[in-house]
C-alpha cells in the first residue's frame, strides 16, 4: 500500500474543489452554470461512469462471488439506513436539514473518489470488488437519495414509482444486463462511454467548489455539528463495519473494500442532486468539503488499521 498515492489522490480532489471555488469568485462559472453542470453530471456522465465500470473487459472475465459482494454491500446500506433514523436526532440537527443529513450518513463518495483510492490501496484488481459493491449505491442514491434531498422535516416529497425512472437506475440495469450476459461493447462505443464517464469526477468537484463560493468558509470549519458528524462518518461507522465483518467474511479484500468505501467522505452526489431537486445545497457542500478535507487524515489511519 502506497500511502503517498492515497494522500495524493485526496489532495488532487481537494484542489479541484478549490479551483471551482476560485472560478466562481472570478466570475467565470456562476451558480446557473453549476446547476446546468449538475444536470449534465447526474443524467449523462455519472450513468456513463456506471456502465463503463460494469463493462470493463477485466470485470467481464473475472470469476468471483458476485452474490456475496452484493449481499455485503446491501447489509452495509441497511446498517447505514438504520443510522439515518438516529444520527440527525443525536446531533440535534434542525428538522429542515434532516433529509440532507440522512443522505450524508448513508452515501459516501464511491465513484468519484472511492475507485481511485481503492486502486491505490489494494491495486487495480480491487476495482472489480468496488464496482460490484457500488451497485446498491447506484440504485439507492437515485431513488432513496433523491427522496432524502427533496424532503425536509416539515414537508416530505411523496415517494412513488417515478423516483425509479431516471438515468442512474437505467444505467445500473443496462450495466447489469451487459455484465451478466458478458457482452462486450464495440470499441468505439466503449471508448465514448469511458471518455464521457471520466468527466464525472472533475466536474463534480468543480460543482462543489462553485457551491462553496457562496458560503463563508470560516462558517464551515467552525460548525461543531459537522465535526461530530465527520467523526461518525469517517471513523465510527467504518470501524463498526470492520468489527461486524472481520469474523464473518473470509475474503480480507472484500472486508477492506467495504470498510474503506463506508469510510469515504460524503458523496459529491449530495450537492448535484440538491441542485437538481431543490435540496439544501449549502449544507451538502459544507458536508462534502469538511469530510473530504478530514479524510486526508482518516483514510490513511483506516488503512493502517486494516493492514
Amino acid at each position: 500500500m502506497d500511502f503517498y498515492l492515497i494522500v495524493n489522490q485526496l489532495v488532487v480532489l481537494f484542489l479541484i474543489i478549490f479551483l471551482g471555488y476560485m472560478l466562481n469568485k472570478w466570475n467565470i462559472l456562476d451558480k446557473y452554470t453549476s446547476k446546468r453542470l449538475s444536470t449534465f453530471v447526474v443524467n449523462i456522465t455519472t450513468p456513463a461512469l456506471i456502465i463503463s465500470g460494469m463493462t470493463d473487459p477485466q470485470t467481464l472475465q473475472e470469476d468471483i462471488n458476485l452474490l456475496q459482494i452484493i449481499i455485503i454491500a446491501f447489509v452495509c446500506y441497511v446498517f447505514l439506513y438504520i443510522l439515518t433514523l438516529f444520527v440527525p436526532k443525536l446531533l440535534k440537527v434542525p428538522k429542515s436539514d434532516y433529509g440532507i443529513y440522512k443522505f450524508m450518513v448513508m452515501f459516501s463518495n464511491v465513484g468519484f473518489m472511492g475507485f481511485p483510492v481503492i486502486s491505490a490501496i489494494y491495486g487495480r484488481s480491487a476495482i472489480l470488488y468496488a464496482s460490484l459493491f457500488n451497485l446498491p449505491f447506484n440504485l439507492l442514491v437515485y431513488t432513496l437519495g433523491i427522496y432524502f434531498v427533496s424532503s425536509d422535516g416539515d414537508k416530505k416529497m411523496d415517494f412513488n414509482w417515478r423516483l425509479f425512472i431516471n438515468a442512474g437506475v437505467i444505467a445500473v440495469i443496462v450495466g447489469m444486463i451487459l455484465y451478466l450476459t458478458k457482452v462486450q461493447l464495440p470499441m468505439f462505443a466503449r471508448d465514448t462511454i469511458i471518455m464521457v464517464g471520466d468527466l464525472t469526477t472533475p466536474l463534480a468537484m468543480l460543482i462543489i467548489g462553485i457551491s462553496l463560493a457562496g458560503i463563508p468558509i470560516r462558517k464551515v470549519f467552525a460548525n461543531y455539528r459537522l465535526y461530530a458528524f465527520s467523526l461518525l462518518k469517517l471513523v465510527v461507522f467504518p470501524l463498526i463495519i470492520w468489527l461486524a465483518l472481520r469474523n464473518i467474511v473470509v475474503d480480507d479484500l472484500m472486508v477492506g473494500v467495504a470498510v474503506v468505501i463506508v469510510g469515504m467522505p460524503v458523496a459529491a452526489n449530495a450537492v448535484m442532486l440538491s441542485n437538481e431537486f431543490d435540496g439544501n445545497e449549502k449544507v451538502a457542500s459544507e458536508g462534502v468539503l469538511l469530510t473530504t478535507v478530514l479524510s486526508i487524515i482518516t483514510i490513511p489511519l483506516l488503512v493502517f488499521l486494516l493492514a
Side-chain angles (χ1 to χ4, degrees), residues 56-157:
D56 186 280
Q58 181 182 353
T59 302
L60 295 174
Q61 293 170 10
E62 290 281 351
D63 182 21
I64 64 170
N65 193 331
L66 170 67
L67 183 60
Q68 184 177 4
I69 298 174
I70 294 178
I71 289 174
I72 292 172
F74 270 108
V75 168
C76 289
Y77 281 109
V78 168
F79 164 70
L80 291 171
Y81 176 76
I82 293 172
L83 290 176
T84 67
L85 305 176
F86 302 102
V87 171
K89 295 178 182 179
L90 177 66
L91 297 178
K92 297 182 180 179
V93 172
K95 286 189 176 181
S96 59
D97 295 340
Y98 266 32
I100 194 61
Y101 265 87
K102 288 181 177 182
F103 185 101
M104 294 195 299
V105 166
M106 192 161 179
F107 298 107
S108 300
N109 198 334
V110 183
F112 304 152
M113 192 168 163
F115 288 169
V117 172
I118 289 289
S119 179
I121 296 171
Y122 295 111
R124 185 168 179 78
S125 60
I127 293 296
L128 172 60
Y129 287 75
S131 297
L132 294 174
F133 194 97
N134 203 33
L135 290 179
F137 173 94
N138 292 326
L139 180 62
L140 292 170
V141 78
Y142 280 96
T143 51
L144 186 60
I146 291 174
Y147 175 69
F148 281 157
V149 302
S150 303
S151 63
D152 57 40
D154 300 317
K155 181 181 179 181
K156 291 186 178 295
M157 177 181 175

Side-chain angles (χ1 to χ4, degrees), residues 204-240:
M205 297 301 106
L206 286 174
I207 291 166
I208 293 168
I210 295 169
S211 299
L212 288 169
I215 305 171
I217 296 299
R218 284 180 295 180
K219 178 183 175 183
V220 178
F221 290 99
N223 189 334
Y224 76 92
R225 185 179 290 114
L226 277 179
Y227 279 103
F229 167 78
S230 298
L231 176 64
L232 294 173
K233 175 73 175 172
L234 301 175
V235 179
V236 177
F237 298 165
L239 286 180
I240 293 174

